[in-house]
Amino acid sequence: MSGLRMAATVFAVVLAMGTAGASKAEAPSIEAYGASPAVDNMELSPSGELIARIVVVDEVRALAVTRVKTGEHLFTASIGDAKVRDLRWIGDRHVLIVSSQTQSIPDLGMPRSELFYGMILDLEAKTLAQVLSRTPDVLASPYGGVEVRRTSRGEIALARGVNVVTGRIDLYRIDLSTGRGRLAETMDRDADDYVLDGEGAVIAVSRYAERSGRWSLRLPDGRGFREAWAVDALLDRPSFCGLGRTSRTIIVNAERPDLTADDVESETGFLLFEVNVDTGEWTRLPFKRHPDFLFHHPRTGLLIGSGNIEAEGVRYDFFDVEAGRRWRGVERAFPGKALRLVSWSDDLKSAVVFSDTGESGVYHLVDFDAGVANVVGDAYPSIPEAQVGEVRPIRYSAADGLDIHGYLTLPPGAGAPANLPLVVLAHGGPASRDVAGFDYWAQAMASRGYAVLQANFRGSLGYGRAFLEAGYGEWGRKMQTDLSDGVRWLVAEGIVDPARVCIVGASYGGYAAMAGLTLDKGVYRCGVAVSGVSDLRRMVNREAYLDGERNSPTVRYWNRFMGAARLNDRSLDALSPAMLASAVDSPLLLIHGKDDTVVPIEQSRVMAEAMRRAGKPVEMIELPGEDHWMSRADTRRRMLRETVRFLEAHNPPVEGGAAMTLSGGATSR
């Protein structure tokens, strides 16, 4: 195939989605950015003949199944306001929908948390069955997700379920018609993960003892499993990454200095090994770079490639010759676009590809035999291409010389930016990262005239082990000044006005927003903290209480990143914005979801009360029914409206205000 051609055909949208776009001169409303993506979780069926997707109108979601060649709608049904987390085919007849709810189960002593549920649609019978329903003594909430296999005997689904009587978390095979589970493999609570072969048989199990930190690999031995390798891993423990290149090998991500002494780019120092489950032999996989993710064949489940997140987007590397050839054809057909492979048919002859470079997100259906790519959905149809701000990859030096990478989003049409107001948008995690492409939050603020800086400060993922470890113990310290060093660099470049800078963020980014006003003063005119941590010691103590263990893996993780020597380490108070409220000299807006099970709302309430006691300007907005991830469109819209209102009140996107002098400096690269 010499290349793909772009076709004008667009599949009919199942529901009216309000696609009337804004004019070139008029910016879309904030509601347009805060809306849930109009099309989400799009998947091709194994045959490539059908396509399933979640269509969203306001808070109402619908599952839609369409025949590719004719556009015939085979199934459309509302699934209400469910928070859909995944969508997958089980053969061409069944569709799996995974959703979540924030709830507690007091009778089992289960605190408020995010519980996952699976529903299986039978396209022929037009019925829905709940995964693990009517399974005796087992919660109808899959533990660790649902596995799908297309075996020689047909399609199957398996999921672990919590037995409320025995406390075991066994693996069950799911009846696709009724959802009822039948025991497939016994597993206790220390069973950390497992790998299935192509026929759905368990061929490897890992165990992890949280108290001791002992991780072990168990491989088949007769009718049971034997321990083949073990390691003490109090913090970074090995993990499974699915099947290897054959049906009797698995991928293990682990540190094995006894097998290789190579220096690697991975954040943990781990390498990817292919382990033969029959012989126990370990072989290092031939990747030039440690992958950010692996890609398995949609039918066999065997490893065929990998991907890395780079400054311009995702780069795929396939060692399967046919898959590599087809993907290179896709890249040639979309020059200048950062593409993401969403779904592939079993025969690799058709694929769904997503692009959001200079646009608000478009799904394309690629037919390799016909050499055609058709548009099949828009993520944000009311945000036209002309109103998408340019996203520039940037690089600058922190005060100590460390290279910091990130992205600068400019207001639409700002060809030669100068003296712009700036919003620093700090990502969560902190072991996470910002990526290239359309970011609804950054684009919303850019549409109002702000430049938006998203810096991958030290401690972020994607830049190797040394960069991640450079963030350990740097909450409120160098992780914080990496952000303000970016401000100084943009000022030196003449792009932003130093007198008009605010900081915004969620989760860890919410902490960074509060820390920017308390620990890194003199840079920001205001701050907006969404779902942020304000009292570090209180946060870690809560995790220990919920885990029922003073030295749980969660506590060990946070102590390492925050720099604490032990649980209840009072040195964390000096890094906690709630303890430093009297030092704040800029207005602060706090926004928090009442259903947040990751960072409890008390963290924002504590900060608000501390600010009020100190007589400092603060606003607190609580979002009913919202979780940590702003999953609901109505509250996400409110979050954006309140954020922009606050920014425009305290850092208007027009000239004005006394200039600030920024201390220190950053070297341009």
Side-chain angles (χ1 to χ4, degrees):
M1 180 176 61
S2 59
L4 299 170
R5 68 179 187 274
M6 298 302 296
T9 304
V10 180
F11 280 139
V13 177
V14 177
L15 298 177
M17 295 188 297
T19 57
S23 67
K24 279 192 176 182
E26 180 184 358
S29 68
I30 288 298
E31 280 69 19
Y33 297 93
S36 298
V39 180
D40 203 3
N41 293 293
M42 186 177 292
E43 288 288 317
L44 271 176
S45 69
S47 69
E49 296 178 357
L50 307 175
I51 193 165
R53 56 192 165 191
I54 301 297
V55 182
V56 185
V57 179
D58 294 325
E59 273 307 294
V60 179
R61 286 162 169 78
L63 170 64
V65 179
T66 306
R67 192 174 298 281
V68 169
K69 289 185 177 179
T70 65
E72 175 190 2
H73 303 313
L74 301 180
F75 183 85
T76 307
S78 171
I79 53 177
D81 60 355
K83 295 185 286 189
V84 178
R85 305 302 188 186
D86 195 12
L87 177 71
R88 274 181 290 161
W89 285 90
I90 309 174
D92 268 40
R93 175 174 171 175
H94 297 91
V95 180
L96 170 69
I97 309 107
V98 178
S99 62
S100 71
Q101 296 179 16
T102 308
Q103 61 184 118
S104 62
I105 306 179
D107 292 345
L108 300 178
M110 184 180 293
R112 198 163 179 80
S113 57
E114 200 73 6
L115 295 181
F116 287 77
Y117 297 92
M119 299 294 293
I120 298 175
L121 164 68
D122 186 322
L123 271 175
E124 292 184 9
K126 301 293 191 293
T127 58
L128 285 168
Q130 185 172 355
V131 173
L132 292 174
S133 66
R134 293 187 283 177
T135 306
D137 301 325
V138 174
L139 288 178
S141 173
Y143 183 92
V146 180
E147 293 285 338
V148 174
R149 290 291 184 273
R150 292 186 282 283
T151 75
S152 59
R153 303 180 306 278
E155 294 79 20
I156 62 172
L158 298 101
R160 293 182 73 187
V162 178
N163 189 303
V164 299
V165 175
T166 66
R168 300 182 66 86
I169 311 176
D170 295 323
L171 182 68
Y172 296 88
R173 179 167 172 170
I174 309 302
D175 186 304
L176 302 184
S177 299
T178 66
R180 185 184 177 99
R182 179 169 57 84
L183 183 64
E185 192 76 45
T186 57
M187 295 181 180
D188 60 26
R189 287 185 173 272
D190 282 346
D192 186 49
D193 201 358
Y194 61 94
V195 179
L196 302 175
D197 67 10
E199 293 296 308
V202 178
I203 59 172
V205 177
S206 64
R207 291 176 59 84
Y208 186 68
E210 292 194 350
R211 183 181 293 271
S212 66
R214 188 72 170 173
W215 187 93
S216 62
L217 167 65
R218 305 176 74 83
L219 298 178
D221 184 17
R223 294 188 176 183
F225 293 86
R226 61 179 175 83
E227 183 178 290
W229 181 72
V231 65
D232 291 327
L234 284 171
L235 281 168
D236 300 313
R237 63 180 184 256
S239 59
F240 289 158
C241 301
L243 285 173
R245 292 169 292 183
T246 74
S247 61
R248 300 301 293 174
T249 59
I250 64 170
I251 306 302
V252 180
N253 188 36
E255 188 172 21
R256 291 296 306 265
D258 55 321
L259 297 181
T260 176
D262 289 356
D263 186 24
V264 295
E265 297 181 5
S266 70
E267 280 79 9
T268 59
F270 286 13
L271 293 172
L272 289 171
F273 293 91
E274 191 169 28
V275 180
N276 186 300
V277 300
D278 297 317
T279 66
E281 181 183 3
W282 290 57
T283 304
R284 182 178 172 181
L285 283 169
F287 291 115
K288 295 179 181 178
R289 293 178 54 192
H290 189 82
D292 291 318
F293 60 89
L294 298 179
F295 199 91
H296 291 80
H297 195 285
R299 179 176 55 80
T300 66
L302 300 182
L303 180 68
I304 62 172
S306 65
N308 286 93
I309 301 172
E310 299 183 342
E312 302 290 346
V314 177
R315 180 181 63 81
Y316 293 90
D317 183 16
F318 292 101
F319 45 74
D320 179 276
V321 175
E322 185 62 20
R325 185 181 68 83
R326 292 185 187 279
W327 184 251
R328 288 191 294 274
V330 173
E331 291 179 324
R332 287 194 299 270
F334 295 87
K337 297 289 187 181
L339 303 173
R340 179 165 58 87
L341 179 56
V342 176
S343 177
W344 225 333
S345 62
D346 276 4
D347 59 10
L348 306 185
K349 292 185 177 181
S350 55
V352 173
V353 175
F354 181 79
S355 65
D356 61 354
T357 305
E359 56 202 357
S360 58
V362 180
Y363 290 89
H364 309 266
L365 178 62
V366 178
D367 183 329
F368 290 99
D369 285 345
V372 172
N374 294 324
V375 174
V376 291
D378 294 288
Y380 293 92
S382 59
I383 303 177
E385 192 171 311
Q387 289 297 333
V388 175
E390 179 188 359
V391 181
R392 296 182 179 178
I394 61 170
R395 177 183 176 188
Y396 60 90
S397 287
D400 64 356
L402 185 66
D403 276 347
I404 306 296
H405 296 252
Y407 301 93
L408 180 67
T409 301
L410 297 172
N419 210 36
L420 292 173
L422 176 70
V423 175
V424 174
L425 180 58
H427 68 67
S432 179
R433 63 165 296 166
D434 283 311
V435 297
F438 182 90
D439 182 301
Y440 81 88
W441 202 350
Q443 290 287 341
M445 293 185 290
S447 74
R448 269 52 198 168
Y450 297 98
V452 181
L453 169 65
Q454 293 173 280
N456 287 322
F457 44 81
R458 70 191 68 204
S460 300
L461 295 179
Y463 301 95
R465 183 177 190 175
F467 192 85
L468 176 71
E469 292 179 348
Y472 293 171
E474 295 296 339
W475 279 55
R477 298 185 177 102
K478 290 182 180 179
M479 283 168 61
Q480 193 67 37
T481 55
D482 285 348
L483 298 172
S484 51
D485 285 340
V487 175
R488 283 179 272 271
W489 177 73
L490 289 170
V491 169
E493 293 289 303
I495 295 174
V496 305
D497 180 352
R500 296 187 293 156
V501 183
C502 285
I503 184 168
V504 175
S507 194
Y508 171 81
Y511 166 81
M514 290 182 275
L517 305 188
T518 54
L519 291 161
D520 198 11
K521 298 176 59 180
V523 182
Y524 307 107
R525 290 179 63 163
C526 65
V528 180
V530 180
S531 307
V533 179
S534 70
D535 185 332
L536 275 60
R537 186 159 57 95
R538 180 191 292 253
M539 180 70 188
V540 180
N541 287 350
R542 171 184 178 270
E543 295 295 339
Y545 171 77
L546 291 177
D547 291 344
E549 172 60 52
R550 293 179 58 85
N551 192 33
S552 70
T554 305
V555 171
R556 294 193 291 262
Y557 172 84
W558 286 121
N559 282 345
R560 177 173 70 178
F561 244 114
M562 293 176 179
R566 67 192 68 85
L567 184 66
N568 204 38
D569 188 338
R570 292 187 178 276
S571 68
L572 294 180
D573 293 351
L575 304 173
S576 297
M579 302 295 181
L580 308 170
S582 60
V584 176
D585 57 6
S586 301
L588 173 65
L589 171 63
L590 299 163
I591 303 176
H592 216 120
K594 287 188 174 183
D595 281 353
D596 194 331
T597 59
V598 178
V599 177
I601 195 171
E602 70 168 352
Q603 286 287 326
S604 287
R605 290 171 176 168
V606 165
M607 185 66 185
E609 181 57 29
M611 293 275 287
R612 294 187 187 109
R613 286 199 309 268
K616 302 297 182 177
V618 64
E619 294 183 43
M620 171 78 184
I621 295 173
E622 300 187 3
L623 303 175
E626 187 51 84
D627 58 25
H628 188 68
W629 305 278
M630 293 291 147
S631 299
R632 296 175 53 84
D634 55 349
T635 47
R636 192 163 82 165
R637 284 168 169 157
R638 187 182 179 195
M639 180 275 290
L640 280 182
R641 285 197 305 269
E642 299 289 0
T643 296
V644 170
R645 171 192 63 80
F646 193 81
L647 291 173
E648 291 179 339
H650 299 287
N651 187 30
V654 293
E655 295 287 350
M660 294 182 179
T661 301
L662 302 182
S663 60
T667 304
S668 172
R669 285 290 181 101

